[in-house]
Amino acid sequence: MADTRLFFLSTALLSVAIFMSYSLSSYAVIYYNYGQFHFLFRELFAGCLGIIIMWGLSYFNPDRYLLTLGLILMFASLVVILILPFLPDSYATSAGGAKRWLRLPNFSLSPLEFFKIGYIIFIAWSLSRKFQGGNTLSFLQQLTIVVPHLFVFLIVTMIISALQNDLGQIILLAIVFIAMLICAGGRFSLFTLTLGVITTVGTILVIISPHRIKRVREWWINIENIIHSYAPNFSLLGEYNMDIGGQVQNATYGFHYGGHFGSGIGQGIVKLGFLGEVHTDMVLAGITEEIGIVGLFCCVLLFFLILFRILKISYRLRSSFYHLFCVGVVCLLGFSFFINSFGEAGIIPIKGMAVPFLSYGGSSLICCCVLVGLVLSLSRRVDLK
């Protein structure tokens, strides 16, 4: 029997996302001249479809189809990413200076979200086969295993960076790969080498991009303003020490004015044009302002209970392939949450990354449900009592 607790926890969090999508999208409805229930109906459809997908995939046979599904998603998504820039605007939706969504009748799909599922499955399968010796393998033996994976990652990085202009997703995939490498039995020296290579590539991608440099500078100005309130003479950027970090500052206003129990559903202020895309990338600030720190805590608790159930399943699976896949799912969902929440709080430079389950967006929501559904299919193999 599949893990019913994981299913109902995921359904509960989806219900919160559907409910909040109506309240937090009120300004976007007016701005884009949409119908009153435009975002609600779309999120409700995606949520119901996601629940059906989770239930259906719980009966999935991973022994026969998991690897095949992963390879199909990985390569099909890459093909779509490669052809998106050449499609007319009527078939591709742009954001952040790149075409990121394939526009189909009545809905759009983000191929990068589906690519991440295939990538995790592929990496879990590959590492589980080649790291069977674990720490008994020498450093050189492990290095020969990892180098082809790094080569594949660099190719993926170039494609995503050039065609999707999305460094945040590259960082996320790098973190997931490193975590799965450690869990597969990689040596610490191999971990540091891999981290160094990926950090170097990430730094180069930041340096060669003016808008990324600007985002890092704005992040540091926010940090400097906080320090300046305690140490007035502190300054490293001189003339740049000014109040220009609008998105992060408005997000922190949402966190602050929400208080313990919030201003009330529909009573939020930052969503009224002060904070762009509050129902998508900035959803945590919007949730906190309307239902308070207590409401946010309940959402976060639900989210981490989902991750806990997945980890519990992973450590009771005998197959290293399935174990590594579950670890990859936890890392993908967990670090997506941390990157978004730390960005909204101003701890790290802000990235346009969806909060799993909570952010508005059909592709992200459905992909989260696919991941949970695949874990549910694996949970049928273990006793979780």
Side-chain angles (χ1 to χ4, degrees):
M1 183 177 178
D3 185 2
T4 54
R5 293 183 185 179
L6 176 58
F7 177 79
F8 286 117
L9 285 169
S10 302
T11 301
L13 198 57
L14 282 176
S15 301
V16 175
I18 294 169
F19 186 72
M20 294 305 300
S21 67
Y22 175 64
S23 174
L24 297 181
S25 62
S26 57
Y27 179 79
V29 165
I30 298 172
Y31 183 82
Y32 293 108
N33 196 28
Y34 290 144
Q36 181 180 356
F37 301 104
H38 174 84
F39 292 103
L40 174 63
F41 287 158
R42 285 173 172 260
E43 191 76 351
L44 180 61
F45 173 79
C48 293
L49 179 60
I51 292 171
I52 294 171
I53 288 173
M54 284 193 294
W55 176 80
L57 285 178
S58 67
Y59 295 96
F60 184 77
N61 186 343
D63 291 334
R64 295 185 61 183
Y65 304 114
L66 182 59
L67 178 60
T68 303
L69 174 65
L71 293 177
I72 290 173
L73 287 175
M74 183 176 174
F75 289 108
S77 300
L78 274 180
V79 170
V80 176
I81 290 172
L82 289 171
I83 66 173
L84 269 180
F86 305 101
L87 294 178
D89 292 341
S90 58
Y91 291 98
T93 304
S94 299
K99 293 181 177 179
R100 297 181 179 177
W101 286 274
L102 178 64
R103 185 178 295 176
L104 300 172
N106 298 319
F107 67 96
S108 299
L109 289 178
S110 171
L112 187 54
E113 295 292 336
F114 294 92
F115 170 81
K116 291 187 290 187
I117 300 175
Y119 184 77
I120 290 176
I121 296 173
F122 168 74
I123 293 298
W125 169 75
S126 183
L127 292 181
S128 66
R129 290 173 58 249
K130 297 180 179 180
F131 272 85
Q132 292 179 352
N135 287 324
T136 61
L137 298 174
S138 67
F139 172 76
L140 288 178
Q141 288 175 316
Q142 291 195 357
L143 183 61
T144 57
I145 293 173
V146 171
V147 166
H149 291 86
L150 286 177
F151 180 71
V152 171
F153 179 80
L154 290 176
I155 292 176
V156 170
T157 296
M158 289 187 291
I159 293 174
I160 296 175
S161 176
L163 303 181
Q164 295 280 291
N165 195 27
D166 197 340
L167 180 60
Q169 299 292 352
I170 296 173
I171 294 172
L172 177 62
L173 290 175
I175 295 173
V176 171
F177 173 71
I178 291 173
M180 294 175 72
L181 177 63
I182 295 171
C183 292
R187 291 175 175 269
F188 181 76
S189 53
L190 190 66
F191 157 73
T192 55
L193 176 63
T194 305
L195 181 63
V197 171
I198 292 175
T199 301
T200 301
V201 172
T203 303
I204 293 172
L205 291 175
V206 171
I207 292 174
I208 63 176
S209 174
H211 84 273
R212 290 173 186 149
I213 290 289
K214 179 183 177 183
R215 185 170 291 179
V216 171
R217 179 176 291 169
E218 290 178 353
W219 163 74
W220 178 247
I221 288 172
N222 280 315
I223 297 295
E224 211 180 53
N225 287 336
I226 295 173
I227 299 174
H228 188 74
S229 63
Y230 296 97
N233 295 325
F234 178 84
S235 177
L236 289 179
L237 293 182
E239 69 273 19
Y240 294 109
N241 191 13
M242 59 187 72
D243 186 17
I244 63 172
Q247 281 284 86
V248 173
Q249 289 189 353
N250 286 335
T252 55
Y253 292 154
F255 288 120
H256 174 72
Y257 290 117
H260 290 95
F261 300 103
S263 59
I265 299 295
Q267 302 301 313
I269 300 298
V270 295
K271 67 183 180 184
L272 302 178
F274 298 101
L275 191 59
E277 306 298 335
V278 68
H279 58 300
T280 57
D281 300 339
M282 293 292 183
V283 67
L284 295 179
I287 288 175
T288 306
E289 187 185 19
E290 298 204 347
I291 60 177
I293 292 295
V294 174
L296 178 65
F297 174 79
C298 292
C299 294
V300 173
L301 179 62
L302 279 174
F303 180 74
F304 280 97
L305 284 174
I306 291 171
L307 299 188
F308 171 75
R309 297 302 299 182
I310 298 175
L311 281 176
K312 189 174 182 179
I313 293 168
S314 72
Y315 285 104
R316 297 192 181 188
L317 289 166
R318 294 183 178 181
S319 169
S320 58
F321 172 27
Y322 299 153
H323 165 70
L324 283 177
F325 169 70
C326 291
V327 169
V329 172
V330 170
C331 292
L332 183 69
L333 298 179
F335 284 107
S336 295
F337 175 85
F338 283 122
I339 291 173
N340 180 285
S341 58
F342 285 4
E344 290 190 49
I347 299 173
I348 62 174
I350 194 167
K351 288 300 301 174
M353 188 173 295
V355 180
F357 294 104
L358 289 174
S359 289
Y360 172 83
S363 295
S364 173
L365 189 150
I366 289 174
C367 287
C368 289
C369 292
V370 170
L371 290 171
V372 172
L374 292 174
V375 174
L376 286 172
S377 71
L378 297 175
S379 71
R380 300 173 70 89
R381 300 168 173 267
V382 297
D383 183 9
L384 295 170
K385 294 182 180 179

